[in-house]
Amino acid sequence: MVARKFIVIHNDSDFHVDYDTDDGFEVFKFQLFSLTNIPPDEQKIIGGDGGRAVSDDSDLSTISEKLRLVSLSEEGEEKLGNSGATCSSGIAQSDEELARMLQAEEEALMFQQYIASDNGAEMKRKIRPYVEQVLMYEDPKRQEAARKTVPVLELEEKALVSLAKEGNFKPSKTEQDHAFLLQLLFWFKQSFRWVNAPPCDSCGNQTISDGMGSPLPSEALFGGSRVELYRCNSCSKITRFPRYNDPLKLVETRKGRCGEWANCFTLYCRAFGYESRLVLDFTDHVWTECFSHCFGRWMHLDPCEAIFDNPLLYEKGWDKKLNYIIAIAKDGVYDVTKRYTRKWHEVLSRRNITTEAVLSAVLANITKDCRKGFTSQLLSTLEERDRNEMEAIEREYHSKDYASTSLPGRRSGDKEWRISRSEFGSNDNCSLSSSSCPVRRCIDEHVTRVYNALYPVLYSFILNSLSKSRAVEILKMFKRIVVELRDSPFRTRKTSIKSDSSSAKFFVDQMLPFFGELLKALSLKSELGTDGRVEICLAGDPVKTSLALPVVLDGLDDAIHNFNNCDNFGKDSLSLPLVKLNRICSGSVLASGEELPFGIATSAFDGIQESKWEEPNGARGCWIIYKVDNKLQELVAYELMSANEAPERDPMDWVVEGSNDGGSSWHVLDEQFSQRFETRFQRKTFKVNSAGLLSNAFRLRFLKVRDVEATSRLQLGSIDLYARSS
């Protein structure tokens, strides 16, 4: 450990910061965030004695003591060097690097003149069939057939919950549409089936390729002009796999490879009103682009991978050697290759079908044909959007290539097939992840409300002198009610309780009043119906109910589990782990790394079993910080829960620390070594003797996982921090 002191100058203020080199540069940035409220991802740190940008520990070690902190959002766009290039991120190539790239581009263009044809016929032949293809997406019958297969209410609920988890309980129509599109992408990934070799139609066993066959009339009717044949390894019968081009048929079959996936998903996007394109990669892949009104630009969506807005996936993740990427829509065709590369000079050297000038002319002529009959006003709008898109692509090309984001190799298709196509990539973790996480606001107040609301329920069991088995029966009865509510339409959730048995009557008459706080935490209420039944219905925002329902269900399961393991149930039992009072909430979270989009740091605090925080490089050491802004609190206990799978990723050794200055200095609160989670979703409770130390930030430093040789990852299902009652 090396302790250093820095003077950080921001605006007109000087901040004195103690820095422990063992903590790492990201924690140093979090310290600055606690002092200046500038999030780490918006900080630009400059060495005061030399004016050099500081971007890691090695840079920091060369600075004497003075630093200057600038907010990128305040700084705005910067002019970079003498190149004249402007970049919104404030990062661009050096003059020397830019000069080398420009020279390489010129050489590639000159070489292209000698090897590429000046005839556009080949390019037309490749693109024209797709122009006809995308017009199918405009057919009302195909759109209606697609919409009928989508669980719209379920996706709407998931979209609104995803926004609520970011603190957005009143999203605009644009934000709702954007969130729904992402849920549509995730749903499609789960509902469509990838075909390597189809199972045998006769016995269901594995098959092996047996060449190609001629299409049957019923197959040709839906564009299945190519038919692959597969022979069963067991019964030797032939199974046909027609490669349908008509998305109407694909809505029915719901299977295929990337061509079928992108073809069908683009129809789904158009069926829900999104401006969409089919994107053709000449190195044999297809995906979708949709215009995001949230971003004000076109957004990349790959249905095979369920990855969105990561256009460098193929070059950086799959290690593809790209050449032409053409976006095809009902209103034109567009060369969008430059959006998907940061190596344009290398890509140019592989563009040898025709010259750039001929390519531009071919695309312009096809686009002109697509736009025949358009009004002058619409033409003007499209032309302006075309110009804006080309300018945006140029800006994106010169922007920062985020080295902290790890892009996976291809995940769709079996491993041998991916390797044979050289699309396996170099990321052994095979995941989309980030080693430079933003500070995330934690929307978890509802979790604390649910935990607190369980207390009067549990206390009522003692007041009514219920046996342990009777208490468990009551909890299970209420759980059935919650499940019925969960499974009902989220905007009109409602169920009723029949008093048709002695146990149900006892529950309604004697126990239901004690569940009042829990219903309130769910934004629900109980009412007496005209037929004498008790009705449970919405009392507020249905999204808040959707957010809290899984927390209540998991909390009930946990309470039932703890009751069953409780030898002597009584007043002394009303403490952790059975009673979870004074859970710390409404903080901000920062971690050393996270899985995107489902393993982010805030998932550790959302109170839901099915989610988890996953640190792709955390097996030999990582950390997560929870910072509370409102007041200093004394940590008296915490709980960790193992995740859903892979016990080798469970934490084994860790240190819990507290800070009373927002993260500038830390004090050890607890240490644990050789801990072992025996089952999945197992909660472990640890008492803390912090000797009255008050903190407004808490850090968990995980030193290693259960098996560091078997994995590079750490994962946790949940983290709950408990304070002393005030």
Side-chain angles (χ1 to χ4, degrees), residues 136-155:
M136 291 187 188
Y137 309 148
E138 306 307 310
D139 175 27
K141 290 183 179 179
R142 289 180 170 89
Q143 291 186 4
E144 179 62 20
R147 283 192 294 270
K148 284 181 177 179
T149 65
V150 178
V152 175
L153 281 178
E154 177 186 331
L155 299 192

Side-chain angles (χ1 to χ4, degrees), residues 185-235:
L185 174 71
F186 303 145
W187 167 82
F188 187 86
K189 171 67 174 175
Q190 296 301 317
S191 63
F192 216 75
R193 182 165 60 88
W194 182 271
V195 176
N196 294 306
C200 176
D201 285 341
S202 298
C203 67
N205 287 314
Q206 292 184 346
T207 62
I208 189 170
S209 177
D210 195 43
M212 303 294 290
S214 299
L216 301 175
S218 60
E219 296 165 339
L221 181 64
F222 295 100
S225 57
R226 292 172 52 242
V227 179
E228 299 173 7
L229 303 180
Y230 291 84
R231 184 174 298 278
C232 180
N233 293 333
S234 298
C235 69

Side-chain angles (χ1 to χ4, degrees), residues 461 464 466 470 473-475 477-478 480-481 495-516 519 526-529 531-536:
F461 298 156
N464 287 277
L466 298 186
R470 184 66 163 147
E473 181 186 351
I474 295 296
L475 290 174
M477 190 176 298
F478 186 74
R480 287 193 292 271
I481 295 169
T495 190
S496 60
I497 307 172
K498 299 178 183 178
S499 300
D500 55 357
S501 66
S502 58
S503 60
K505 185 172 178 54
F506 174 77
F507 176 80
V508 170
D509 294 343
Q510 302 295 323
M511 302 307 303
L512 188 59
F514 293 102
F515 285 86
L519 290 175
S526 61
E527 297 177 338
L528 186 62
D531 58 355
R533 296 184 182 185
V534 174
E535 295 183 345
I536 309 293

Side-chain angles (χ1 to χ4, degrees), residues 482-497:
V482 177
V483 169
E484 288 176 8
L485 288 162
R486 181 199 63 189
D487 295 341
S488 60
F490 82 101
R491 296 187 192 277
T492 57
R493 291 192 198 276
K494 194 173 186 179
T495 190
S496 60
I497 307 172

